[in-house]
Amino acid sequence: MHTGFITHRACLAHEMGSWHPEAPSRLTAIHDHLIAVGLLPHLVHIDAPVVAREALWRAHDRGYIEHLESRIPKQGYVSVDPDTAMNPATWDAALRSAGAVTEAVDQVMAGQLENAFCAVRPPGHHARPAHAMGFCFFNNVAVGARHAMQVHGLRRVAVIDFDVHHGNGTEEILANDERALMVSFFQHPFYPYTGAEHPAKNMVNVPLPAGSRGDVVRQVVDEQWIPALDAFCPQLVLISAGFDAHREDDLGQMGLVEADYAYITKRLMEVADRHAQGRVVSTLEGGYNLSALARSVAAHVKTLAQL
């Protein structure tokens, strides 16, 4: 089995201020921990390419992309949302974060990789068709889903989101697209205060109260996610892998631990084995306690690589 590890040094250059939790140190912590536990040598290392402009157009308004590009600062920061800003390196990092997912889809569909993890930032699942939001500029997983549909002709693509925050941008982009099924849990009520009321018909949204622990989440996976995914029979499984539902992460108030992420990953791989020839592409979303993030990613990647 070949598991890809797709990243790029450009993703370290984007930053939004020393105070900001979505920081370059997130990727450094992941990389260093994967080395420390001996996982990194077992992965296929790939530099994330710049995403094709037409791939962005399938998920985002052209005017939004042009406007965002026009606002790249020569120095300092430009705010595009109350908690989201660009520095001179942001544009390249955002293009490569989306490009990592389309590259992973291409390689998994070609059989060159069985699955892949995209260690990239900025994250993407809050990015709406025409708005940056919640640390996100381009919706990496939605770009990847539409790429799989358009370029590879897939008729059924599953998107699974286990970030502590609802993936509102992903839902908005993929809502009522019969080629997509999105399943998620998220803390509620909580930022971005969406997802609990009137979800689109192709969404399985499971809002959970603060304090929910792994036993509750595993029950959601087994009793709600898996039946819906099996009924859908996805040809590709995409994961928005946020690790901020960890009990040590202060940006959420849920109670997951590394073993829970390994369990979720294993169950999703079983779905992929049944319906999608094992094809799984995962991309990093949240996770802000550096130690918990690194340990959780290691559990996720170790499960993907079956090590």
Side-chain angles (χ1 to χ4, degrees):
M1 173 181 290
H2 298 293
T3 295
F5 184 79
I6 306 179
T7 189
H8 198 277
R9 62 184 178 276
C11 296
L12 293 167
H14 159 66
E15 50 89 18
M16 296 181 279
S18 60
W19 58 273
H20 205 290
E22 206 295 281
S25 55
R26 298 178 65 229
L27 293 188
T28 304
I30 290 169
H31 184 267
D32 290 352
H33 188 70
L34 291 180
I35 292 174
V37 298
L39 279 174
L40 209 58
H42 296 280
L43 308 176
V44 180
H45 297 255
I46 300 168
D47 273 352
V50 169
V51 69
R53 193 62 61 106
E54 55 267 28
L56 292 180
W57 294 340
R58 298 185 191 111
H60 294 284
D61 294 354
R62 295 191 186 197
Y64 163 67
I65 298 167
E66 293 168 359
H67 175 69
L68 200 63
E69 186 174 19
S70 74
R71 300 198 64 194
I72 304 167
K74 290 188 174 10
Q75 58 183 3
Y77 306 99
V78 169
S79 177
V80 295
D81 178 72
D83 56 14
T84 310
M86 303 176 73
N87 79 342
T90 298
W91 182 250
D92 189 32
L95 293 177
R96 292 186 185 277
S97 293
V101 181
T102 58
E103 177 69 15
V105 168
D106 288 343
Q107 297 223 18
V108 166
M109 290 303 301
Q112 295 169 310
L113 299 172
E114 184 150 3
N115 54 49
F117 177 71
C118 302
V120 293
R121 49 178 298 279
H125 74 154
H126 294 308
R128 301 172 60 200
H131 298 281
M133 180 179 177
F135 315 164
C136 304
F137 299 90
F138 298 132
N139 197 302
N140 306 322
V141 77
V143 169
R146 285 279 170 79
H147 178 77
M149 297 167 187
Q150 185 69 25
V151 175
H152 297 282
L154 298 191
R155 302 181 308 280
R156 297 181 308 279
V157 176
V159 175
I160 296 90
D161 190 325
F162 53 70
D163 194 276
V164 79
H165 305 96
H166 175 235
N168 61 301
T170 312
E171 176 164 346
E172 188 172 347
I173 292 167
L174 298 179
N176 299 311
D177 186 336
E178 63 183 14
R179 301 168 298 175
L181 174 70
M182 181 177 175
V183 306
S184 68
F185 67 77
F186 47 89
Q187 183 178 323
H188 182 79
F190 200 43
Y191 182 89
Y193 305 101
T194 57
E197 296 182 5
H198 313 299
K201 61 184 180 181
N202 61 329
M203 301 287 146
V204 179
N205 295 355
V206 186
L208 295 173
S212 297
R213 300 172 70 101
D215 58 337
V216 173
V217 167
R218 293 184 191 211
Q219 186 174 9
V220 166
V221 172
D222 292 342
E223 297 182 4
Q224 298 188 59
W225 283 13
I226 301 301
L229 289 165
D230 279 337
F232 184 65
C233 299
Q235 297 166 297
L236 175 67
V237 170
L238 299 177
I239 303 174
S240 270
F243 299 95
D244 39 9
H246 195 284
R247 67 183 181 188
E248 296 173 22
D249 200 304
D250 291 337
L251 263 69
Q253 291 88 43
M254 290 183 65
L256 272 62
V257 297
E258 298 91 300
D260 297 314
Y261 290 115
Y263 180 86
I264 296 168
T265 307
K266 181 175 182 295
R267 296 292 276 137
L268 296 177
M269 290 177 68
E270 291 168 355
V271 170
D273 286 342
R274 286 194 291 272
H275 305 292
Q277 300 174 45
R279 297 184 294 227
V280 177
V281 171
S282 176
T283 187
L284 181 65
E285 299 287 0
Y288 305 98
N289 177 296
L290 297 183
S291 176
L293 170 64
R295 298 186 331 257
S296 299
V297 168
H300 179 59
V301 170
K302 183 176 182 180
T303 306
L304 286 174
Q306 294 191 3
L307 294 172

